[in-house]
Amino acid sequence: MSLTVGTIYMVAVKEILPESIKHSSNAYSLLVAIISFFLIGAYLLYL
Amino acid sequence: MGHVWFIGFIATFFGVGIGGVLSHVINGFKKSLGTVYAVCAGLILGLISFGIAPEAIELGNWIVLSSGFIVGVFLFRFIHAMLEIRLHKRPDLKSGLLLTVIITFHNFPIGIILGTNVESDLSRSLLQTLILHNIPEGMVLFTLLFITGFRLYPYFYCLLLLRYQLLLGQSSEKCLARKTPFYGHS
């Protein structure tokens, strides 16, 4: 399971986030990513 | 054994399916590719931070998590290099495929947990938990797959891959239980 943490983290940071920044601005991508980060956090913690 | 396979199938089918429908609805409202990618990255990082990492620490410890993380980074580099050769003309498809392969690895220990607990009274609550657990995974997977323009085929393809590792985990647990008679009672 810790193996998954490493690989998924790399997919998100090296593949998906740079694609997002390429299609829009740094600040906008970061803001949207942070909002969705906390939304999924709320879902996983409270549901 | 048939019972546990059925629970696993239902959990994966509905969990990932609901996630796929949700991501389809969200993508319908937000057509911007940058937004979809940013949402996906946030969802993945949230899934790791609030879901998978605490679970991994609970099953092992910080040292296991750190060493697993490092091995995972090298595994990513290896799979990435392999896909680079095969899919150099489709970089968008590469991310989706990479993520599907990695989530199948994640389903292996879940299969073991399911196999261990299915004979107890927990099976119904376990099913609900597994469905809820699979929804964000489905959202993450389908957000990327919708970007590539795929629709129905990848859904069944992903389900097959996800199911394969879940079954493998359940079978491993059964083998382990057979070899160590007091395994289930400890």
mmCIF file of all heavy atoms in Angstrom, chain A:
data_model
loop_
_atom_site.group_PDB
_atom_site.id
_atom_site.type_symbol
_atom_site.label_atom_id
_atom_site.label_comp_id
_atom_site.label_asym_id
_atom_site.label_seq_id
_atom_site.Cartn_x
_atom_site.Cartn_y
_atom_site.Cartn_z
ATOM 1 N N MET A 1 0.831 -1.210 0.000
ATOM 2 C CA MET A 1 0.000 0.000 0.000
ATOM 3 C C MET A 1 0.869 1.266 0.000
ATOM 4 O O MET A 1 0.527 2.259 -0.649
ATOM 5 C CB MET A 1 -0.921 -0.005 1.216
ATOM 6 C CG MET A 1 -2.093 0.940 1.063
ATOM 7 S SD MET A 1 -3.351 0.678 2.278
ATOM 8 C CE MET A 1 -4.322 -0.599 1.528
ATOM 9 N N SER A 2 2.017 1.201 0.713
ATOM 10 C CA SER A 2 2.918 2.366 0.714
ATOM 11 C C SER A 2 3.558 2.545 -0.663
ATOM 12 O O SER A 2 3.902 3.665 -1.053
ATOM 13 C CB SER A 2 3.972 2.227 1.798
ATOM 14 O OG SER A 2 4.452 0.928 1.869
ATOM 15 N N LEU A 3 3.691 1.430 -1.379
ATOM 16 C CA LEU A 3 4.196 1.467 -2.753
ATOM 17 C C LEU A 3 3.248 2.297 -3.638
ATOM 18 O O LEU A 3 3.671 3.111 -4.453
ATOM 19 C CB LEU A 3 4.268 0.030 -3.271
ATOM 20 C CG LEU A 3 5.038 -0.230 -4.536
ATOM 21 C CD1 LEU A 3 6.381 -0.833 -4.172
ATOM 22 C CD2 LEU A 3 4.280 -1.201 -5.411
ATOM 23 N N THR A 4 1.943 2.092 -3.396
ATOM 24 C CA THR A 4 0.923 2.836 -4.143
ATOM 25 C C THR A 4 1.022 4.328 -3.861
ATOM 26 O O THR A 4 0.838 5.138 -4.766
ATOM 27 C CB THR A 4 -0.484 2.346 -3.732
ATOM 28 O OG1 THR A 4 -0.468 0.948 -3.622
ATOM 29 C CG2 THR A 4 -1.524 2.766 -4.718
ATOM 30 N N VAL A 5 1.286 4.677 -2.584
ATOM 31 C CA VAL A 5 1.390 6.094 -2.208
ATOM 32 C C VAL A 5 2.468 6.774 -3.058
ATOM 33 O O VAL A 5 2.252 7.848 -3.631
ATOM 34 C CB VAL A 5 1.702 6.249 -0.700
ATOM 35 C CG1 VAL A 5 1.909 7.710 -0.329
ATOM 36 C CG2 VAL A 5 0.583 5.672 0.138
ATOM 37 N N GLY A 6 3.629 6.114 -3.155
ATOM 38 C CA GLY A 6 4.736 6.679 -3.935
ATOM 39 C C GLY A 6 4.411 6.831 -5.396
ATOM 40 O O GLY A 6 4.637 7.902 -5.984
ATOM 41 N N THR A 7 3.832 5.785 -5.991
ATOM 42 C CA THR A 7 3.560 5.835 -7.433
ATOM 43 C C THR A 7 2.445 6.826 -7.776
ATOM 44 O O THR A 7 2.581 7.604 -8.726
ATOM 45 C CB THR A 7 3.193 4.436 -7.970
ATOM 46 O OG1 THR A 7 2.408 3.766 -7.007
ATOM 47 C CG2 THR A 7 4.408 3.606 -8.275
ATOM 48 N N ILE A 8 1.376 6.799 -6.974
ATOM 49 C CA ILE A 8 0.256 7.718 -7.270
ATOM 50 C C ILE A 8 0.696 9.172 -7.075
ATOM 51 O O ILE A 8 0.330 10.053 -7.849
ATOM 52 C CB ILE A 8 -1.001 7.381 -6.416
ATOM 53 C CG1 ILE A 8 -1.563 6.023 -6.825
ATOM 54 C CG2 ILE A 8 -2.083 8.434 -6.609
ATOM 55 C CD1 ILE A 8 -2.830 5.621 -6.126
ATOM 56 N N TYR A 9 1.505 9.406 -6.043
ATOM 57 C CA TYR A 9 2.016 10.768 -5.806
ATOM 58 C C TYR A 9 2.804 11.255 -7.023
ATOM 59 O O TYR A 9 2.631 12.391 -7.479
ATOM 60 C CB TYR A 9 2.898 10.758 -4.548
ATOM 61 C CG TYR A 9 3.625 12.059 -4.323
ATOM 62 C CD1 TYR A 9 2.979 13.152 -3.749
ATOM 63 C CD2 TYR A 9 4.962 12.210 -4.710
ATOM 64 C CE1 TYR A 9 3.644 14.354 -3.567
ATOM 65 C CE2 TYR A 9 5.635 13.404 -4.526
ATOM 66 C CZ TYR A 9 4.973 14.467 -3.956
ATOM 67 O OH TYR A 9 5.625 15.664 -3.784
ATOM 68 N N MET A 10 3.652 10.364 -7.547
ATOM 69 C CA MET A 10 4.462 10.734 -8.711
ATOM 70 C C MET A 10 3.590 11.012 -9.939
ATOM 71 O O MET A 10 3.857 11.947 -10.697
ATOM 72 C CB MET A 10 5.459 9.604 -9.035
ATOM 73 C CG MET A 10 6.585 9.493 -8.057
ATOM 74 S SD MET A 10 7.618 10.943 -7.965
ATOM 75 C CE MET A 10 8.620 10.761 -9.403
ATOM 76 N N VAL A 11 2.530 10.207 -10.117
ATOM 77 C CA VAL A 11 1.613 10.431 -11.257
ATOM 78 C C VAL A 11 0.973 11.812 -11.135
ATOM 79 O O VAL A 11 0.921 12.580 -12.107
ATOM 80 C CB VAL A 11 0.525 9.326 -11.327
ATOM 81 C CG1 VAL A 11 -0.518 9.659 -12.382
ATOM 82 C CG2 VAL A 11 1.135 7.980 -11.647
ATOM 83 N N ALA A 12 0.518 12.148 -9.908
ATOM 84 C CA ALA A 12 -0.169 13.432 -9.709
ATOM 85 C C ALA A 12 0.773 14.610 -9.905
ATOM 86 O O ALA A 12 0.436 15.585 -10.585
ATOM 87 C CB ALA A 12 -0.789 13.474 -8.315
ATOM 88 N N VAL A 13 1.965 14.514 -9.317
ATOM 89 C CA VAL A 13 2.881 15.663 -9.321
ATOM 90 C C VAL A 13 3.661 15.794 -10.629
ATOM 91 O O VAL A 13 3.874 16.903 -11.125
ATOM 92 C CB VAL A 13 3.831 15.572 -8.092
ATOM 93 C CG1 VAL A 13 4.901 16.630 -8.139
ATOM 94 C CG2 VAL A 13 3.024 15.714 -6.810
ATOM 95 N N LYS A 14 4.048 14.670 -11.207
ATOM 96 C CA LYS A 14 4.884 14.727 -12.412
ATOM 97 C C LYS A 14 4.084 14.732 -13.720
ATOM 98 O O LYS A 14 4.553 15.197 -14.745
ATOM 99 C CB LYS A 14 5.850 13.529 -12.427
ATOM 100 C CG LYS A 14 6.941 13.616 -11.389
ATOM 101 C CD LYS A 14 8.155 14.310 -11.969
ATOM 102 C CE LYS A 14 9.259 14.402 -10.945
ATOM 103 N NZ LYS A 14 10.380 15.197 -11.440
ATOM 104 N N GLU A 15 2.871 14.136 -13.690
ATOM 105 C CA GLU A 15 2.117 13.995 -14.945
ATOM 106 C C GLU A 15 0.927 14.953 -15.036
ATOM 107 O O GLU A 15 0.778 15.666 -16.017
ATOM 108 C CB GLU A 15 1.603 12.550 -15.073
ATOM 109 C CG GLU A 15 2.671 11.521 -15.324
ATOM 110 C CD GLU A 15 3.055 11.410 -16.792
ATOM 111 O OE1 GLU A 15 2.182 11.586 -17.640
ATOM 112 O OE2 GLU A 15 4.243 11.168 -17.062
ATOM 113 N N ILE A 16 0.075 14.922 -13.982
ATOM 114 C CA ILE A 16 -1.219 15.603 -14.096
ATOM 115 C C ILE A 16 -1.126 17.100 -13.779
ATOM 116 O O ILE A 16 -1.662 17.923 -14.511
ATOM 117 C CB ILE A 16 -2.276 14.888 -13.223
ATOM 118 C CG1 ILE A 16 -2.402 13.434 -13.681
ATOM 119 C CG2 ILE A 16 -3.625 15.558 -13.334
ATOM 120 C CD1 ILE A 16 -3.071 12.522 -12.712
ATOM 121 N N LEU A 17 -0.437 17.441 -12.685
ATOM 122 C CA LEU A 17 -0.327 18.859 -12.304
ATOM 123 C C LEU A 17 0.404 19.698 -13.371
ATOM 124 O O LEU A 17 -0.075 20.789 -13.714
ATOM 125 C CB LEU A 17 0.343 18.972 -10.931
ATOM 126 C CG LEU A 17 -0.059 20.180 -10.083
ATOM 127 C CD1 LEU A 17 -1.564 20.256 -9.875
ATOM 128 C CD2 LEU A 17 0.645 20.151 -8.733
ATOM 129 N N PRO A 18 1.523 19.238 -13.930
ATOM 130 C CA PRO A 18 2.154 20.019 -15.009
ATOM 131 C C PRO A 18 1.245 20.208 -16.229
ATOM 132 O O PRO A 18 1.265 21.261 -16.867
ATOM 133 C CB PRO A 18 3.385 19.176 -15.382
ATOM 134 C CG PRO A 18 3.680 18.384 -14.192
ATOM 135 C CD PRO A 18 2.370 18.094 -13.546
ATOM 136 N N GLU A 19 0.409 19.183 -16.532
ATOM 137 C CA GLU A 19 -0.548 19.300 -17.644
ATOM 138 C C GLU A 19 -1.549 20.414 -17.364
ATOM 139 O O GLU A 19 -1.906 21.184 -18.251
ATOM 140 C CB GLU A 19 -1.299 17.979 -17.831
ATOM 141 C CG GLU A 19 -0.535 16.921 -18.584
ATOM 142 C CD GLU A 19 -0.263 17.284 -20.034
ATOM 143 O OE1 GLU A 19 -1.133 17.872 -20.680
ATOM 144 O OE2 GLU A 19 0.863 16.994 -20.496
ATOM 145 N N SER A 20 -2.002 20.475 -16.101
ATOM 146 C CA SER A 20 -2.959 21.500 -15.689
ATOM 147 C C SER A 20 -2.341 22.891 -15.828
ATOM 148 O O SER A 20 -2.982 23.825 -16.342
ATOM 149 C CB SER A 20 -3.399 21.230 -14.254
ATOM 150 O OG SER A 20 -4.014 22.336 -13.710
ATOM 151 N N ILE A 21 -1.090 23.031 -15.371
ATOM 152 C CA ILE A 21 -0.396 24.326 -15.439
ATOM 153 C C ILE A 21 -0.176 24.732 -16.897
ATOM 154 O O ILE A 21 -0.280 25.902 -17.258
ATOM 155 C CB ILE A 21 0.931 24.258 -14.636
ATOM 156 C CG1 ILE A 21 0.619 24.126 -13.140
ATOM 157 C CG2 ILE A 21 1.794 25.492 -14.869
ATOM 158 C CD1 ILE A 21 1.788 23.722 -12.281
ATOM 159 N N LYS A 22 0.067 23.729 -17.744
ATOM 160 C CA LYS A 22 0.278 23.995 -19.176
ATOM 161 C C LYS A 22 -0.980 24.601 -19.821
ATOM 162 O O LYS A 22 -0.909 25.450 -20.689
ATOM 163 C CB LYS A 22 0.621 22.677 -19.878
ATOM 164 C CG LYS A 22 1.469 22.864 -21.141
ATOM 165 C CD LYS A 22 1.533 21.602 -21.960
ATOM 166 C CE LYS A 22 2.386 20.522 -21.356
ATOM 167 N NZ LYS A 22 2.338 19.269 -22.159
ATOM 168 N N HIS A 23 -2.173 24.104 -19.370
ATOM 169 C CA HIS A 23 -3.433 24.566 -19.966
ATOM 170 C C HIS A 23 -3.997 25.824 -19.316
ATOM 171 O O HIS A 23 -4.901 26.458 -19.857
ATOM 172 C CB HIS A 23 -4.479 23.457 -19.916
ATOM 173 C CG HIS A 23 -4.201 22.358 -20.886
ATOM 174 N ND1 HIS A 23 -3.505 21.227 -20.540
ATOM 175 C CD2 HIS A 23 -4.478 22.224 -22.198
ATOM 176 C CE1 HIS A 23 -3.397 20.438 -21.600
ATOM 177 N NE2 HIS A 23 -3.979 21.023 -22.613
ATOM 178 N N SER A 24 -3.529 26.158 -18.096
ATOM 179 C CA SER A 24 -3.992 27.397 -17.435
ATOM 180 C C SER A 24 -2.849 27.989 -16.616
ATOM 181 O O SER A 24 -1.711 27.547 -16.759
ATOM 182 C CB SER A 24 -5.217 27.107 -16.567
ATOM 183 O OG SER A 24 -4.915 26.084 -15.656
ATOM 184 N N SER A 25 -3.158 28.942 -15.741
ATOM 185 C CA SER A 25 -2.067 29.586 -14.984
ATOM 186 C C SER A 25 -1.682 28.781 -13.732
ATOM 187 O O SER A 25 -2.433 27.919 -13.283
ATOM 188 C CB SER A 25 -2.505 30.979 -14.564
ATOM 189 O OG SER A 25 -3.516 30.873 -13.598
ATOM 190 N N ASN A 26 -0.508 29.109 -13.174
ATOM 191 C CA ASN A 26 -0.010 28.447 -11.963
ATOM 192 C C ASN A 26 -0.984 28.612 -10.797
ATOM 193 O O ASN A 26 -1.357 27.638 -10.142
ATOM 194 C CB ASN A 26 1.330 29.067 -11.531
ATOM 195 C CG ASN A 26 2.487 28.492 -12.296
ATOM 196 O OD1 ASN A 26 2.306 27.597 -13.124
ATOM 197 N ND2 ASN A 26 3.670 29.009 -12.049
ATOM 198 N N ALA A 27 -1.365 29.871 -10.549
ATOM 199 C CA ALA A 27 -2.202 30.199 -9.393
ATOM 200 C C ALA A 27 -3.560 29.518 -9.493
ATOM 201 O O ALA A 27 -4.062 28.958 -8.512
ATOM 202 C CB ALA A 27 -2.360 31.712 -9.289
ATOM 203 N N TYR A 28 -4.161 29.538 -10.692
ATOM 204 C CA TYR A 28 -5.483 28.947 -10.897
ATOM 205 C C TYR A 28 -5.438 27.431 -10.667
ATOM 206 O O TYR A 28 -6.280 26.866 -9.956
ATOM 207 C CB TYR A 28 -5.979 29.246 -12.309
ATOM 208 C CG TYR A 28 -7.318 28.635 -12.622
ATOM 209 C CD1 TYR A 28 -8.487 29.175 -12.097
ATOM 210 C CD2 TYR A 28 -7.416 27.505 -13.437
ATOM 211 C CE1 TYR A 28 -9.719 28.597 -12.371
ATOM 212 C CE2 TYR A 28 -8.638 26.928 -13.715
ATOM 213 C CZ TYR A 28 -9.783 27.471 -13.181
ATOM 214 O OH TYR A 28 -11.000 26.906 -13.439
ATOM 215 N N SER A 29 -4.421 26.773 -11.221
ATOM 216 C CA SER A 29 -4.282 25.314 -11.068
ATOM 217 C C SER A 29 -4.110 24.947 -9.605
ATOM 218 O O SER A 29 -4.725 23.988 -9.114
ATOM 219 C CB SER A 29 -3.068 24.798 -11.841
ATOM 220 O OG SER A 29 -3.210 25.065 -13.187
ATOM 221 N N LEU A 30 -3.273 25.707 -8.920
ATOM 222 C CA LEU A 30 -2.997 25.444 -7.511
ATOM 223 C C LEU A 30 -4.259 25.623 -6.665
ATOM 224 O O LEU A 30 -4.560 24.802 -5.797
ATOM 225 C CB LEU A 30 -1.886 26.381 -7.024
ATOM 226 C CG LEU A 30 -1.068 25.891 -5.843
ATOM 227 C CD1 LEU A 30 -0.264 24.661 -6.229
ATOM 228 C CD2 LEU A 30 -0.149 26.983 -5.328
ATOM 229 N N LEU A 31 -4.998 26.701 -6.963
ATOM 230 C CA LEU A 31 -6.222 26.988 -6.214
ATOM 231 C C LEU A 31 -7.247 25.865 -6.391
ATOM 232 O O LEU A 31 -7.804 25.352 -5.409
ATOM 233 C CB LEU A 31 -6.810 28.327 -6.680
ATOM 234 C CG LEU A 31 -8.071 28.780 -5.949
ATOM 235 C CD1 LEU A 31 -7.725 29.275 -4.544
ATOM 236 C CD2 LEU A 31 -8.783 29.884 -6.712
ATOM 237 N N VAL A 32 -7.481 25.455 -7.650
ATOM 238 C CA VAL A 32 -8.462 24.393 -7.938
ATOM 239 C C VAL A 32 -8.012 23.081 -7.293
ATOM 240 O O VAL A 32 -8.822 22.345 -6.704
ATOM 241 C CB VAL A 32 -8.664 24.235 -9.469
ATOM 242 C CG1 VAL A 32 -9.535 23.037 -9.780
ATOM 243 C CG2 VAL A 32 -9.282 25.487 -10.055
ATOM 244 N N ALA A 33 -6.699 22.793 -7.383
ATOM 245 C CA ALA A 33 -6.169 21.548 -6.795
ATOM 246 C C ALA A 33 -6.356 21.553 -5.278
ATOM 247 O O ALA A 33 -6.740 20.528 -4.702
ATOM 248 C CB ALA A 33 -4.699 21.381 -7.156
ATOM 249 N N ILE A 34 -6.104 22.692 -4.641
ATOM 250 C CA ILE A 34 -6.247 22.775 -3.169
ATOM 251 C C ILE A 34 -7.715 22.592 -2.767
ATOM 252 O O ILE A 34 -8.021 21.868 -1.816
ATOM 253 C CB ILE A 34 -5.665 24.107 -2.633
ATOM 254 C CG1 ILE A 34 -4.134 24.077 -2.730
ATOM 255 C CG2 ILE A 34 -6.079 24.360 -1.189
ATOM 256 C CD1 ILE A 34 -3.448 25.407 -2.476
ATOM 257 N N ILE A 35 -8.625 23.224 -3.526
ATOM 258 C CA ILE A 35 -10.065 23.094 -3.203
ATOM 259 C C ILE A 35 -10.494 21.624 -3.314
ATOM 260 O O ILE A 35 -11.138 21.082 -2.422
ATOM 261 C CB ILE A 35 -10.918 24.011 -4.123
ATOM 262 C CG1 ILE A 35 -10.679 25.475 -3.769
ATOM 263 C CG2 ILE A 35 -12.393 23.676 -4.005
ATOM 264 C CD1 ILE A 35 -11.241 26.469 -4.775
ATOM 265 N N SER A 36 -10.098 20.966 -4.412
ATOM 266 C CA SER A 36 -10.502 19.559 -4.577
ATOM 267 C C SER A 36 -9.816 18.657 -3.558
ATOM 268 O O SER A 36 -10.386 17.658 -3.130
ATOM 269 C CB SER A 36 -10.275 19.064 -5.998
ATOM 270 O OG SER A 36 -9.141 19.612 -6.556
ATOM 271 N N PHE A 37 -8.589 19.030 -3.165
ATOM 272 C CA PHE A 37 -7.855 18.286 -2.124
ATOM 273 C C PHE A 37 -8.663 18.278 -0.824
ATOM 274 O O PHE A 37 -8.881 17.227 -0.218
ATOM 275 C CB PHE A 37 -6.491 18.958 -1.920
ATOM 276 C CG PHE A 37 -5.650 18.373 -0.814
ATOM 277 C CD1 PHE A 37 -4.806 17.303 -1.066
ATOM 278 C CD2 PHE A 37 -5.690 18.898 0.465
ATOM 279 C CE1 PHE A 37 -4.019 16.762 -0.063
ATOM 280 C CE2 PHE A 37 -4.904 18.369 1.476
ATOM 281 C CZ PHE A 37 -4.072 17.302 1.212
ATOM 282 N N PHE A 38 -9.135 19.448 -0.412
ATOM 283 C CA PHE A 38 -9.879 19.520 0.847
ATOM 284 C C PHE A 38 -11.284 18.939 0.721
ATOM 285 O O PHE A 38 -11.824 18.411 1.699
ATOM 286 C CB PHE A 38 -9.916 20.961 1.360
ATOM 287 C CG PHE A 38 -8.604 21.359 1.985
ATOM 288 C CD1 PHE A 38 -7.794 22.298 1.390
ATOM 289 C CD2 PHE A 38 -8.161 20.749 3.152
ATOM 290 C CE1 PHE A 38 -6.564 22.644 1.944
ATOM 291 C CE2 PHE A 38 -6.935 21.074 3.724
ATOM 292 C CZ PHE A 38 -6.137 22.023 3.114
ATOM 293 N N LEU A 39 -11.876 19.008 -0.466
ATOM 294 C CA LEU A 39 -13.204 18.409 -0.670
ATOM 295 C C LEU A 39 -13.139 16.895 -0.506
ATOM 296 O O LEU A 39 -13.970 16.297 0.181
ATOM 297 C CB LEU A 39 -13.741 18.769 -2.059
ATOM 298 C CG LEU A 39 -14.389 20.145 -2.193
ATOM 299 C CD1 LEU A 39 -14.806 20.393 -3.637
ATOM 300 C CD2 LEU A 39 -15.616 20.272 -1.286
ATOM 301 N N ILE A 40 -12.137 16.273 -1.146
ATOM 302 C CA ILE A 40 -12.002 14.809 -1.026
ATOM 303 C C ILE A 40 -11.609 14.435 0.407
ATOM 304 O O ILE A 40 -12.036 13.396 0.915
ATOM 305 C CB ILE A 40 -11.002 14.235 -2.076
ATOM 306 C CG1 ILE A 40 -11.190 12.723 -2.270
ATOM 307 C CG2 ILE A 40 -9.560 14.478 -1.717
ATOM 308 C CD1 ILE A 40 -12.220 12.369 -3.237
ATOM 309 N N GLY A 41 -10.837 15.317 1.059
ATOM 310 C CA GLY A 41 -10.477 15.093 2.460
ATOM 311 C C GLY A 41 -11.707 15.073 3.344
ATOM 312 O O GLY A 41 -11.866 14.184 4.193
ATOM 313 N N ALA A 42 -12.601 16.048 3.119
ATOM 314 C CA ALA A 42 -13.842 16.114 3.892
ATOM 315 C C ALA A 42 -14.690 14.875 3.637
ATOM 316 O O ALA A 42 -15.273 14.294 4.565
ATOM 317 C CB ALA A 42 -14.610 17.379 3.524
ATOM 318 N N TYR A 43 -14.743 14.456 2.373
ATOM 319 C CA TYR A 43 -15.519 13.254 2.011
ATOM 320 C C TYR A 43 -14.981 12.022 2.738
ATOM 321 O O TYR A 43 -15.732 11.246 3.325
ATOM 322 C CB TYR A 43 -15.463 13.053 0.493
ATOM 323 C CG TYR A 43 -16.007 11.721 0.031
ATOM 324 C CD1 TYR A 43 -17.372 11.511 -0.130
ATOM 325 C CD2 TYR A 43 -15.157 10.647 -0.238
ATOM 326 C CE1 TYR A 43 -17.869 10.292 -0.542
ATOM 327 C CE2 TYR A 43 -15.631 9.426 -0.649
ATOM 328 C CZ TYR A 43 -16.992 9.245 -0.797
ATOM 329 O OH TYR A 43 -17.476 8.026 -1.198
ATOM 330 N N LEU A 44 -13.654 11.850 2.703
ATOM 331 C CA LEU A 44 -13.049 10.652 3.305
ATOM 332 C C LEU A 44 -13.087 10.676 4.830
ATOM 333 O O LEU A 44 -13.199 9.632 5.465
ATOM 334 C CB LEU A 44 -11.597 10.504 2.834
ATOM 335 C CG LEU A 44 -11.413 10.105 1.364
ATOM 336 C CD1 LEU A 44 -9.964 10.208 0.960
ATOM 337 C CD2 LEU A 44 -11.931 8.706 1.100
ATOM 338 N N LEU A 45 -13.020 11.868 5.414
ATOM 339 C CA LEU A 45 -12.996 11.945 6.880
ATOM 340 C C LEU A 45 -14.388 11.867 7.494
ATOM 341 O O LEU A 45 -14.572 11.271 8.547
ATOM 342 C CB LEU A 45 -12.306 13.231 7.338
ATOM 343 C CG LEU A 45 -10.789 13.306 7.122
ATOM 344 C CD1 LEU A 45 -10.254 14.657 7.545
ATOM 345 C CD2 LEU A 45 -10.068 12.210 7.897
ATOM 346 N N TYR A 46 -15.362 12.477 6.846
ATOM 347 C CA TYR A 46 -16.687 12.587 7.475
ATOM 348 C C TYR A 46 -17.738 11.641 6.921
ATOM 349 O O TYR A 46 -18.828 11.555 7.448
ATOM 350 C CB TYR A 46 -17.177 14.028 7.402
ATOM 351 C CG TYR A 46 -16.262 14.965 8.153
ATOM 352 C CD1 TYR A 46 -15.447 15.865 7.477
ATOM 353 C CD2 TYR A 46 -16.174 14.911 9.551
ATOM 354 C CE1 TYR A 46 -14.588 16.703 8.162
ATOM 355 C CE2 TYR A 46 -15.313 15.735 10.242
ATOM 356 C CZ TYR A 46 -14.527 16.639 9.548
ATOM 357 O OH TYR A 46 -13.661 17.449 10.228
ATOM 358 N N LEU A 47 -17.441 10.907 5.833
ATOM 359 C CA LEU A 47 -18.472 10.014 5.296
ATOM 360 C C LEU A 47 -18.198 8.565 5.679
ATOM 361 O O LEU A 47 -17.089 8.121 5.615
ATOM 362 C CB LEU A 47 -18.544 10.171 3.772
ATOM 363 C CG LEU A 47 -19.958 10.363 3.265
ATOM 364 C CD1 LEU A 47 -20.406 11.801 3.494
ATOM 365 C CD2 LEU A 47 -20.064 10.036 1.801
#
